[in-house]
Every structure is written in C-alpha cells, then in structure tokens.
Amino acid sequence: MWWPLLLAYLLAAVVLIYSYVQWTRRKMYAMLASMSSPKTLPVIGHAYKFFNVSPEALAKTIRYFRRFPSPVCLHMGPLPHVVVFDPESIQVVLNSQHCLQKPHQYSFLWIPRTLMCAPVHMWKTQRKAFNPAFGPAILGSFVPVFNEKCAILMEILEQHVGKPQRDFTRDILKCTLDQIYVTAFECEFNMQLSPDGDKSMDLFESYVGFVTKRFFSVWKYPDFIYRWTKAYRKQMLCCTTYFNEVLEKIVRHVDIDRRVNDLCGEQSVEKYHNFVYCLSKYLQAQGPIPREDILAHFGFMIFAGNETTAKTINAVLLMLAMHPEIQERCFLEVAAVCPIENQYISAEDVSNLTYLEMVCKETMRLFPVAAMLARVATSDVKLNDRQTIPANTRIIIGTYQIHRDPKIWGPNSNRFDPDHFLPDNVAKRHPYSYIPFSGGPRNCLGPRFAWLSMKTIIAFILRQYRLNTSLKFDQLKVAYGVLLTIANGCPMTIEKR
C-alpha cells in the first residue's frame, strides 16, 4: 500500500516545517519567555480559550488572563500576542514610534484608509489634516447646534414621562447623530424626527453585528476565507445599503467634488475648519481618490463621533439612575450653573460642571467603550530592563483591565465612586492608569468634542428630568465587541422635576 508511505512523508514535512519555523523564531521566543503566560496547547496555543466565545463570555475569559502579571504572552496559533495592562508598559507602547501600526482585525470595519485604520504613513498625513476640525478654535461654533438638538431631545423624552421603563439609547444616538451631521458635514437632516433616523440606526446596528461576529470567529480572519461565507455576503449587502442610502446622501448634500474644486481655484475662501472642510483640503492635496474611500471617511466620522459618545452618555445616565444621591448632587451643580429650564448652555457653563465631569470620568473608567486597543510592533520595543516585545508581535492594551485594577484604584475598584477623580486622587496615579481616549500620538482625535457634547446633553436632561431604574449595579454585565456595551441595556424611567 502506498498511502502509509505518503502519510509518513507528509508528517515528516510538517515536522520539518514546524521545526524550521521554531528555529527561525528562536530569538523572538527567548524574548517572550521573560513574560508570564498560561499553559498552552500544541500548535493552537491559547486559541482554544477564544473558540466560539460570545461577547458576554469574553469578559470571563479575559478575567482568567488577568490572574497573570502584565505583560502576558498569548499564542493564538502561530501568532504571538503580548497583553499589557500595567501603566508603565502601556505608556511605553502608546508612545513608541514602533507601535503606531494597527493589526489586521481593524480592517474588519471595512474603512481601511481612514484615520482609524490607515497604515502609519497615511495616518500621519490625515491626522495633521483633520486636527483643526476638533481644535478649541472651532468648538465654540458647535455650542448652538448642541443646544438646538438637545432641545428637540427634551421634547421627545417628554413623551415618556411617567411611562414604563425603557432604554433611551436610540434617542440619545439620534441626538448625537444630528449633532455630527450639522457640525461635521453641515447637513440638517433632523434624524431625531425623521424615519431616516431609525433606518440609519438599523443598518448600522446590523453592520456592527457582522463585524463583531467576525471578531469572535478566528477562522473567518483570513479575507480569502471570509469572502466565501454567507456572513460576508450579508455584511456586503448591509454595507452597500448603508453607503448608498445614508452616506451617499451626505455626499450629495455637501457636494464634495465642488468643494475640492473650489479649493483649487481663486474662489477658495478660508473658513472655519470643520471636518468636511478639512477632508476637502486633504482630498485636494492627495489627488484623485476612489469614491468608496470618501464614503469610508464619512462612515468613520459617524462611527467615531457618534457611537462612542452616545454609548458613554447612556452609561452615565444609567449610573445616575442607580445612584440617586449622586444624581441629586449633579442636578444641584447644573441648577447652580444654568438654573433656567430652557437656558442656553455655553461652553463656559460646561467647563464649570466639574462634578458632572467626575461622574462621566468614573463611568468611562468602569465602562470604557474602547475596552481593548491593539497595535503591531514594527521593531523590538523595550518595556523595561527585563522585558522586550519582539518585532512583528501584536500588542493588546487592556483598557478595561487597567481601569479596574485594585492596585491602582483600591479594594473597591469595581464600585462606582466619582471621588476617584478628585484632584488629589488623580495626582497620585500614573497618567496612563486611565486611558478612555487612548494615549500617545495615535490617540483619539476628538475628546474635546466628546466632552462638550456629553456634558451638554446630560445637563439638559438632569435640569428637566429625574432618572430611575430597577436595575442594580451588581447585576450589570458587559459585552465585548467592536465597542464595549452594557449587556443588560440601560432601562430607565423619567419623571419631571
């Protein structure tokens, strides 16, 4: 029989290839050996811990790896990953010029040449081009828009006073979406009152759902495999519909081609540098860019500026509903700064809401929307005198883990306590023990925008409504995905003050 001999040759070939790979990686493995690591299985390493894990179950899996001191080495099949969740290592990684590259998983969002996912050389150009769109010089012009959209939200919430408990996530999402459309794109689509608002939400939720499922199906990571799956076809349909029915509407309204052409001619006028203006200047400097790239830039802006802010606002409101004494203190602060029910809230008013800011920071500590960040080491990165991350290693930054580390936040690190952000307590902590907006050169572009939007919306709500919930803090569970979410939802009732 010839097949036993063939099998023997195949096994010998596998052993030789495996041995050769191990030998060529001997320097890398020597570096990784200095790090803590759970026991692994042959060939697949720690991948079995993540096989078919759900977004809710991933939190339990991650708690298992937290038993080991940072940095932790994980082997996902042949690919080594280093997980860091101590402030010193995180500071090194986020500030290293060799850790600016994003890993392959970011490409699952299908916005590959945007600020979030672009390769380093492209990201540097884009970051410089888009910085003015979120600088302090322009934020003041956004304040009237925030007030106007909040006033519409108050009318919508009025309809639910005294009614059964419900999740207001969509209402907040449509409010922040309206803010983004006007401030970034100069589009007045009034998504809070239009059926297009819910349609847009449905499409986006479906799209994020497909991306999340791919995150938790390792076998779908290679693009050539994923393209053969039913999930790919459904995601493609959802993405095409979203681009054609939502993003193309923005493109038509802003007339991006005309804006780019105007910048090339004599009629170019320096105006306030919102996102669409900065994008037009960037496109004009780069030359012809595919239409899908322009749509991707719009999609990135909506995702980065809307989803993250709205989810944080909902989590803050839920924390206030769960802690009535803290809610009352926030209300008294808002009432002292801007006491009249429909009073315009200025940027100066927002800056004076210091306790409300502490509450928001504590919520972002416990429920950071970006629960994990990831980078690729393009060269060896020395963490300390004993440990070095080898080149071509994927690095995972555990935001959620460091935000709940008892060594940093004390024995009650899993409890909600805004006093964590009293100035004296902040001064005692390492600056990289709290990174809700990431850190280093490739950090979040728009934290000032987010703060202004969040505090304005929350102040409007607290000034008119009292929040309650039957949900208890100890019942809360988190779900990992594209963004971290509270798996229980944010059910609340509201009553007039």
Side-chain angles (χ1 to χ4, degrees):
M1 295 291 290
W2 57 269
W3 64 265
L5 185 61
L6 177 61
L7 182 61
Y9 278 126
L10 288 174
L11 288 174
V14 169
V15 171
L16 285 173
I17 293 172
Y18 180 77
S19 300
Y20 174 75
V21 170
Q22 295 294 99
W23 182 80
T24 57
R25 292 184 169 189
R26 63 193 185 281
K27 179 184 175 183
M28 178 186 71
Y29 288 136
M31 293 182 185
L32 296 174
S34 65
M35 303 175 188
S36 62
S37 179
K39 290 183 178 180
T40 66
L41 293 180
V43 182
I44 65 171
H46 301 101
Y48 71 98
K49 284 283 187 182
F50 299 89
F51 180 73
N52 277 346
V53 66
S54 67
E56 292 82 4
L58 182 60
K60 184 177 181 181
T61 302
I62 289 175
R63 281 197 296 272
Y64 165 76
F65 290 110
R66 281 179 61 189
R67 302 175 190 173
F68 302 87
S70 172
V72 179
C73 176
L74 303 183
H75 291 277
M76 303 298 288
L79 301 176
H81 292 63
V82 171
V83 185
V84 293
F85 46 88
D86 65 282
E88 293 79 15
S89 296
I90 290 177
Q91 182 175 23
V92 170
V93 169
L94 290 180
N95 286 282
S96 172
Q97 292 299 309
H98 303 301
C99 296
L100 295 175
Q101 189 66 40
K102 299 287 187 74
H104 174 63
Q105 286 87 338
Y106 280 75
S107 69
F108 298 171
L109 292 167
W110 289 0
I111 46 175
R113 290 174 291 277
T114 64
L115 201 60
M116 181 179 292
C117 309
V120 176
H121 70 280
M122 189 179 292
W123 161 77
K124 288 182 177 179
T125 305
Q126 291 180 0
R127 182 66 184 241
K128 184 177 180 180
F130 298 152
N131 268 334
F134 298 94
I138 193 175
L139 286 180
S141 67
F142 295 162
V143 174
V145 176
F146 291 160
N147 277 264
E148 177 189 342
K149 299 307 175 185
C150 284
I152 296 173
L153 176 63
M154 296 308 104
E155 294 176 4
I156 292 171
L157 296 182
E158 178 80 30
Q159 302 169 21
H160 301 283
V161 171
K163 292 186 178 180
Q165 192 167 252
R166 73 186 290 268
D167 194 321
F168 293 94
T169 298
R170 278 215 165 186
D171 302 300
I172 303 297
L173 275 165
K174 286 187 284 187
C175 179
T176 53
L177 186 59
D178 262 350
Q179 293 176 351
I180 289 288
Y181 276 159
V182 176
T183 58
F185 303 117
E186 303 169 18
C187 295
E188 184 60 86
F189 291 156
N190 207 356
M191 302 300 278
Q192 294 186 82
L193 301 177
S194 166
D196 287 346
D198 283 313
K199 185 176 182 179
S200 178
M201 295 290 104
D202 289 338
L203 285 168
F204 195 82
E205 285 175 9
S206 297
Y207 172 72
V208 170
F210 288 121
V211 176
T212 300
K213 287 179 182 178
R214 190 179 180 189
F215 275 146
F216 296 106
S217 303
V218 177
W219 66 275
K220 293 181 182 177
Y221 278 22
D223 291 334
F224 73 91
I225 292 177
Y226 188 57
R227 288 194 184 98
W228 286 93
T229 65
K230 184 185 295 185
Y232 171 82
R233 293 189 291 274
K234 289 183 177 180
Q235 183 177 343
M236 179 62 75
L237 177 61
C238 179
C239 187
T240 302
T241 305
Y242 185 75
F243 273 37
N244 291 341
E245 298 187 11
V246 178
L247 300 185
E248 277 287 1
K249 184 178 179 181
I250 302 174
V251 172
R252 290 194 301 272
H253 184 88
V254 302
D255 197 354
I256 195 75
D257 292 330
R258 177 186 59 79
R259 290 170 183 264
V260 171
N261 290 332
D262 286 351
L263 288 166
C264 298
E266 295 180 355
Q267 63 269 51
S268 175
V269 178
E270 286 296 318
K271 58 178 291 188
Y272 73 112
H273 292 192
N274 64 358
F275 177 77
V276 74
Y277 177 81
C278 292
L279 177 62
S280 300
K281 288 193 71 174
Y282 170 75
L283 296 175
Q284 185 265 332
Q286 298 302 307
I289 286 184
R291 194 72 166 179
E292 58 267 23
D293 278 14
I294 297 175
L295 295 176
H297 281 297
F298 286 1
F300 152 73
M301 184 60 207
I302 292 172
F303 172 73
N306 180 48
E307 262 322 276
T308 53
T309 303
K311 285 186 179 296
T312 300
I313 292 171
N314 275 285
V316 172
L317 296 176
L318 183 64
M319 291 301 100
L320 292 173
M322 287 180 170
H323 302 87
E325 70 289 351
I326 294 175
Q327 180 182 168
E328 190 63 19
R329 183 172 170 182
C330 286
F331 163 71
L332 292 174
E333 181 182 65
V334 171
V337 172
C338 37
I340 303 172
E341 182 175 295
N342 296 312
Q343 180 181 341
Y344 179 96
I345 297 179
S346 67
E348 184 180 359
D349 293 335
V350 168
S351 66
N352 289 329
L353 299 174
T354 54
Y355 186 69
L356 178 58
E357 183 167 319
M358 288 168 57
V359 169
C360 293
K361 286 181 175 179
E362 177 68 352
T363 303
M364 289 189 287
R365 179 184 76 83
L366 292 169
F367 307 103
V369 288
M372 291 185 289
L373 307 171
R375 299 286 190 271
V376 175
T378 54
S379 184
D380 292 352
V381 178
K382 186 176 181 180
L383 294 179
N384 50 54
D385 292 337
R386 298 181 299 104
Q387 295 162 323
T388 298
I389 299 175
N392 301 316
T393 301
R394 287 139 187 85
I395 306 169
I396 300 172
I397 298 148
T399 306
Y400 184 84
Q401 285 68 44
I402 197 170
H403 281 190
R404 292 178 178 242
D405 189 340
K407 296 191 294 293
I408 298 170
W409 304 95
N412 295 320
S413 59
N414 287 322
R415 308 304 301 174
F416 182 79
D417 183 4
D419 286 353
H420 280 132
F421 291 93
L422 287 169
D424 289 346
N425 291 333
V426 172
K428 297 174 186 175
R429 290 193 298 269
H430 192 287
Y432 280 76
S433 59
Y434 181 68
I435 50 170
F437 297 105
S438 186
R442 200 160 186 175
N443 64 343
C444 176
L445 180 63
R448 294 188 190 95
F449 181 98
W451 275 119
L452 192 58
S453 173
M454 284 193 296
K455 292 171 73 176
T456 302
I457 291 176
I458 296 168
F460 257 89
I461 293 174
L462 290 181
R463 195 165 56 180
Q464 295 192 35
Y465 301 109
R466 181 175 286 106
L467 310 171
N468 296 285
T469 182
S470 61
L471 196 60
K472 304 300 181 186
F473 187 85
D474 292 337
Q475 299 172 331
L476 293 180
K477 297 179 181 179
V478 297
Y480 285 75
V482 177
L483 299 174
L484 181 134
T485 59
I486 297 174
N488 315 66
C490 300
M492 287 176 281
T493 58
I494 59 173
E495 57 183 84
K496 260 297 202 185
R497 286 191 179 274

